[in-house]
Amino acid sequence: MLHAHSGFRWIALILIIFTIYKAFKGIKNAEEYTAKHKMLALGTLITFHTMVLVGFSLLFSSAKTAFFDMSQPFRFFTIEHPLLMTIAVVLVTMGYSKAKKEESSRMKFRKILIFYTVALLITLVAIPWPFRGLGGGWM
């Protein structure tokens, strides 16, 4: 499960970056918000929700988490990573939901751009990159 969760992060990152790019391009070029844009945003939402479900299953079964040991890296994997990633998933969900309710294409793109960008930044902070010394790898 850990390898699937770690490897799947690349799909999630690529999707959210591409969704942000398409939203920025949509605002810049005054494009119409089409079904393809909606499907891309929804695909990103589903990917993030899947990641959080796998992540929560790992939270209770992984050797990297210890609820009674708050030293690094246990604190990161037990508290910081799950909390930040949950916030990122909530932001993606809010962005998709708010964009769906908007009337104009510009506002739909704007909601996606704002919420997904903040979620991306939080996600990048929450990933246990190898250079952080937390025991995370590239895969």
Side-chain angles (χ1 to χ4, degrees), residues 20-105:
I20 290 167
Y21 166 75
K22 293 297 275 185
F24 178 76
K25 188 177 166 201
I27 292 171
K28 185 179 176 200
N29 298 337
E31 295 176 8
E32 194 66 33
Y33 190 83
T34 65
K36 288 182 182 180
H37 294 107
K38 184 178 178 181
M39 291 303 293
L40 180 61
L42 179 62
T44 304
L45 172 82
I46 291 168
T47 303
F48 268 72
H49 279 242
T50 304
M51 288 291 289
V52 87
L53 288 174
V54 173
F56 276 123
S57 71
L58 284 169
L59 180 62
F60 298 106
S61 65
S62 176
K64 289 187 175 194
T65 58
F67 290 97
F68 301 108
D69 183 1
M70 287 297 114
S71 61
Q72 281 290 57
F74 292 114
R75 186 186 76 225
F76 177 81
F77 288 108
T78 306
I79 296 174
E80 295 168 15
H81 179 70
L83 178 65
L84 289 172
M85 292 308 295
T86 301
I87 292 169
V89 169
V90 167
L91 286 169
V92 168
T93 305
M94 286 174 58
Y96 180 80
S97 178
K98 288 184 180 290
K100 198 165 65 167
K101 293 176 184 175
E102 289 293 338
E103 295 294 324
S104 73
S105 290

Side-chain angles (χ1 to χ4, degrees), residues 83-85 87-88 91 117-127:
L83 178 65
L84 289 172
M85 292 308 295
I87 292 169
L91 286 169
T117 300
V118 175
L120 173 63
L121 294 174
I122 290 171
T123 300
L124 291 173
V125 168
I127 292 175

